[in-house]
Amino acid sequence: MSSILPREVTTHNDIRLQAPAKVVPLTCHGHSRPVTHLDFSRITDSDDYYLISGCKDNHPMLREGINGDWIGTFIGHKGAVWQSRLSETASYAVTGSADFTAKIWDPQSGECLHTLQHNHIVRAVSFVPGNNPQLVATGGFEKKLRIFDLKSSTAGSTDSSPVAANGASNGVDTRCYEIGAGTHEGNIKSIVWGPDRHIVVSAAEDKVVRWWDLRDSQKAISTFTLDGPLGTCELNQVTVDGNAQKAVLSVAAGKTAYFFSGSAPGELIGKHTTNHDIVSVAVNFEEKKFVTGGSSDTWVRVYDLDDGKEIGLHKGHHGPVWTTSFSPDGKLCATGSEDGTIKLWKFTTGAYGLWK
């Protein structure tokens, strides 16, 4: 049984805000290589929320969402972790890696509950919506969108040896079925599941975003072709006073940020083209703002969602910003960079967390 092992990290929490207009982030150290992906949980019953990070150092990390304090490191992958996600209540974590596996973890103990074997690099993972998810979607360099059932007869095993459904060894786990076989013409880079548990979104390097209805999974129910190379594709949903607000799917591609309805498959509700390359984007629909990271500079840019004008520029990273994500209450934004750090930026007035 593996567990979360302590690791020496430092979170810079001694913040002195000199002027209201100056944005001073919390910097979370601990990773030794570029940060590839960030994901927040929903707000839990204890009024907390959590943040998980994927990294090329092979070791995803769990943190307190509001202040970035390190909780633990998941030990077990033997390759870069390209994507990491928490279930809605942070009861489970899932990670996809260059070691040809996806792993399911218990965030409380750090134990690896399941190892899902693949034939190539796993770039994208996602849980079905719900408090106790038993379905996981994966995708990557095989160009196959798979759904794994963790309740199947072999789901209790953490043995990573590949066993086919007919008993032969072919490098593919037994607990899965494929969605839209042969459809994706590029590596699957992101998978989004929810808020409708019947609808899964895949975004691939063929520059196409596809919506799938799992009740009829052979053909995409909607598609959208992007104008540039795909960056991130993420679902954004802020909770205000306990009520979930409108869900928005944000996609970064080339110099354009696309925004789709989270409930109506394929419905484009807005897009803005900027003067800069965009590799990551997150949106706070409640505040009418979106945030981007780029591959050609080290800055975090803030834009007005209505007119697309740049209204803020946050400096602090020392490498491209590959991943951006708003907290579930929308009051801070997390960014992950090539420099190996995570930064938390306050997006609210007044005191919040460690900002006084």
Side-chain angles (χ1 to χ4, degrees), residues 218-281:
Q218 298 310 305
K219 185 177 180 181
I221 59 174
S222 185
T223 63
F224 187 93
T225 301
L226 305 168
D227 293 332
L230 174 68
T232 60
C233 174
E234 298 289 337
L235 187 69
N236 308 258
Q237 190 169 27
V238 172
T239 299
V240 179
D241 297 327
N243 298 313
Q245 303 300 299
K246 183 174 182 177
V248 178
L249 184 75
S250 62
V251 180
K255 295 184 178 181
T256 302
Y258 299 84
F259 305 104
F260 298 89
S261 168
S263 56
E267 180 182 334
L268 181 68
I269 58 177
K271 73 173 186 177
H272 294 294
T273 299
T274 72
N275 296 323
H276 310 278
D277 290 330
I278 298 174
V279 292
S280 61
V281 61

Side-chain angles (χ1 to χ4, degrees), residues 100 116-120 142 144 146 148 160-178:
F100 294 15
L116 311 178
Q117 190 69 37
H118 295 68
N119 280 326
H120 214 315
E142 292 181 82
K144 295 180 179 181
R146 291 189 175 102
F148 286 85
S160 61
S161 59
V163 179
N166 60 4
S169 178
N170 73 344
V172 179
D173 198 285
T174 64
R175 296 161 254 180
C176 69
Y177 61 93
E178 186 178 356

Side-chain angles (χ1 to χ4, degrees), residues 147-213:
I147 306 296
F148 286 85
D149 184 358
L150 303 180
K151 296 182 296 183
S152 67
S153 59
T154 59
S157 173
T158 59
D159 184 2
S160 61
S161 59
V163 179
N166 60 4
S169 178
N170 73 344
V172 179
D173 198 285
T174 64
R175 296 161 254 180
C176 69
Y177 61 93
E178 186 178 356
I179 304 296
T183 300
H184 296 92
E185 297 179 2
N187 301 330
I188 298 175
K189 201 170 180 180
S190 187
I191 299 170
V192 174
W193 202 337
D196 185 341
R197 62 183 294 113
H198 298 295
I199 306 298
V200 174
V201 182
S202 63
E205 291 180 345
D206 57 10
K207 301 181 183 179
V208 179
V209 182
R210 297 173 173 89
W211 286 259
W212 305 90
D213 190 327

Side-chain angles (χ1 to χ4, degrees), residues 131-147:
N131 294 336
N132 186 31
Q134 295 300 310
L135 297 176
V136 173
T138 69
F141 279 33
E142 292 181 82
K143 305 175 185 178
K144 295 180 179 181
L145 175 60
R146 291 189 175 102
I147 306 296

Side-chain angles (χ1 to χ4, degrees), residues 37-204:
H37 189 250
L38 298 172
D39 183 60
F40 283 102
S41 71
R42 298 282 182 90
I43 297 173
T44 66
D45 291 340
S46 57
D47 208 29
D48 297 319
Y49 61 89
Y50 301 91
L51 174 67
I52 191 171
S53 55
C55 184
K56 289 185 179 180
D57 64 8
N58 309 354
H59 302 313
M61 290 185 176
L62 183 68
R63 299 176 183 273
E64 296 281 355
I66 195 169
N67 56 26
D69 283 353
W70 176 82
I71 297 174
T73 301
F74 299 99
I75 303 297
H77 278 300
K78 296 180 174 65
V81 175
W82 285 105
Q83 198 162 83
S84 56
R85 294 193 189 277
L86 293 168
S87 62
E88 290 185 355
T89 58
S91 55
Y92 296 98
V94 59
T95 52
S97 173
D99 64 9
F100 294 15
T101 70
K103 291 181 180 290
I104 315 300
W105 309 85
D106 179 345
Q108 291 190 354
S109 67
E111 179 185 0
C112 179
L113 304 175
H114 310 289
T115 296
L116 311 178
Q117 190 69 37
H118 295 68
N119 280 326
H120 214 315
I121 293 169
V122 181
R123 284 292 304 264
V125 291
S126 188
F127 281 118
V128 64
N131 294 336
N132 186 31
Q134 295 300 310
L135 297 176
V136 173
T138 69
F141 279 33
E142 292 181 82
K143 305 175 185 178
K144 295 180 179 181
L145 175 60
R146 291 189 175 102
I147 306 296
F148 286 85
D149 184 358
L150 303 180
K151 296 182 296 183
S152 67
S153 59
T154 59
S157 173
T158 59
D159 184 2
S160 61
S161 59
V163 179
N166 60 4
S169 178
N170 73 344
V172 179
D173 198 285
T174 64
R175 296 161 254 180
C176 69
Y177 61 93
E178 186 178 356
I179 304 296
T183 300
H184 296 92
E185 297 179 2
N187 301 330
I188 298 175
K189 201 170 180 180
S190 187
I191 299 170
V192 174
W193 202 337
D196 185 341
R197 62 183 294 113
H198 298 295
I199 306 298
V200 174
V201 182
S202 63

